[in-house]
Structures are given as C-alpha cells and as structure tokens.
Amino acid sequence: LQPEYPAGARAPGVEAKVALEIVVDERGDVADARVVSRAGYGFDDSALRAVRAARFSPARRGPSAVRVRMQWTVEFRLE
C-alpha cells in the first residue's frame, strides 16, 4: 500500500496517520472505506485512494471467504 504523499504536506514536513474503517469483500477487494480520524493536508483523500486500490487476502470462516469490516491505519512519514 503506497499512498501518494500530498504535496501540501511534504513542503512543510508534516507527517500523519489516517485511521480508516474498511470493508473487504469475499474476493479481497475493498468494498467500502471511510475516514475515522481526519488528518487534513490532503492525507485523508490520499489514504482513501490508496486503500480502495489495495487488494487483501479475504477473511475466512472455515472453508469460506467472508466479507469483513476492520480498522486500518495509513501512515505518512517523510524519509
């Protein structure tokens, strides 16, 4: 998961964590995502774009893949 670092945050050296709630479907695709804790500076939109494009291993209940709702954090750090 490689989110794009917002240009408006890079110049002043701002780092952030964006807390998300996501729903991963039976195929491992992100079916829904919402920001739980906003960071501003464009981090929220960048985190949502990145997680919506991500692919996960589906959750399993016994032999069956199942839809799951979970918390996910996207961290933005300058290196």
Side-chain angles (χ1 to χ4, degrees):
L1 188 65
Q2 289 287 15
E4 183 178 335
Y5 211 99
R10 184 178 298 280
V14 177
E15 296 181 336
K17 291 181 183 178
V18 179
L20 305 171
E21 181 179 84
I22 64 173
V23 176
V24 178
D25 68 16
E26 299 84 356
R27 293 180 313 274
D29 296 323
V30 176
D32 191 27
R34 70 179 187 90
V35 176
V36 175
S37 176
R38 298 199 174 279
Y41 289 93
F43 289 119
D44 307 325
D45 291 335
S46 182
L48 284 172
R49 277 193 304 277
V51 81
R52 286 180 177 140
R55 176 104 179 164
F56 292 83
S57 295
R60 299 194 96 51
R61 182 173 292 141
S64 302
V66 294
R67 188 177 183 96
V68 66
R69 180 180 308 271
M70 62 186 196
Q71 302 296 312
W72 192 263
T73 301
V74 178
E75 190 169 345
F76 293 86
R77 300 184 86 188
L78 292 170
E79 295 180 2

